[in-house]
Amino acid sequence: MVQIDVAYQGGLRCQAVHGPSGTTLVTDAPVDNHGKGESFSPTDLVATALGACILTIMGIVAEREKIDLHGMRITVQKEMSAEPPRRIARLATRIVMPKGLTEQKAKLEKAAYTCPVHQTLHGNVELPIEFVYP
């Protein structure tokens, strides 16, 4: 289990702390949702998580199979729903692969679809919320 602590900073901005490393990041609401758009929005982080997860899982396979993936990159385009409730409606990914791949293509493509974030987003996730009042 990994703990992430998030504190509201005001002005629709939050600061998150990654428990194991202490690394922090800031989120800001997007301009189209009352924010300043000065940092990643929470839904931007979902898109970021998908892209980073796909590349990481493909990287694990590449290391195991001794495949050079230097230069591989991914673009994730996040589209929000036009109708309420506000939600991520689509996350389209485009992976630019390095030159010279042949028989490794199938293994790498399969790896992309097995990333935990991709698997989570198309499935059902338990999302309990506990409210604690002083």
Side-chain angles (χ1 to χ4, degrees):
M1 181 176 81
V2 172
Q3 181 170 315
I4 309 294
D5 293 311
V6 184
Y8 186 68
Q9 304 293 301
L12 306 180
R13 179 165 288 186
C14 297
Q15 181 176 2
V17 179
H18 179 248
S21 69
T23 301
T24 63
L25 64 84
V26 173
T27 65
D28 193 20
V31 174
D32 70 345
N33 201 26
H34 312 287
K36 295 178 183 176
E38 294 176 346
S39 188
F40 288 91
S41 73
T43 56
D44 290 345
L45 292 179
V46 174
T48 303
L50 178 62
C53 187
I54 289 172
L55 292 184
T56 299
I57 297 302
M58 291 175 76
I60 290 169
V61 170
E63 285 185 4
R64 182 181 66 225
E65 301 290 325
K66 305 213 182 331
I67 302 168
D68 182 6
L69 292 181
H70 283 88
M72 180 176 66
R73 62 187 188 279
I74 192 167
T75 300
V76 181
Q77 291 186 329
K78 178 192 77 172
E79 297 175 30
M80 299 299 289
S81 62
E83 302 296 321
R86 187 172 174 85
R87 65 178 183 83
I88 298 169
R90 187 169 192 261
L91 293 169
T93 60
R94 181 175 187 261
I95 305 170
V96 178
M97 302 296 291
K99 293 179 182 177
L101 297 175
T102 55
E103 71 276 354
Q104 307 100 326
K105 290 179 183 179
K107 285 181 183 179
L108 293 168
E109 289 177 12
K110 181 179 178 184
Y113 286 103
T114 63
C115 108
V117 174
H118 190 274
Q119 292 295 310
T120 300
L121 291 175
H122 77 70
N124 292 323
V125 179
E126 292 182 37
L127 298 169
I129 297 175
E130 175 187 9
F131 293 91
V132 179
Y133 295 96

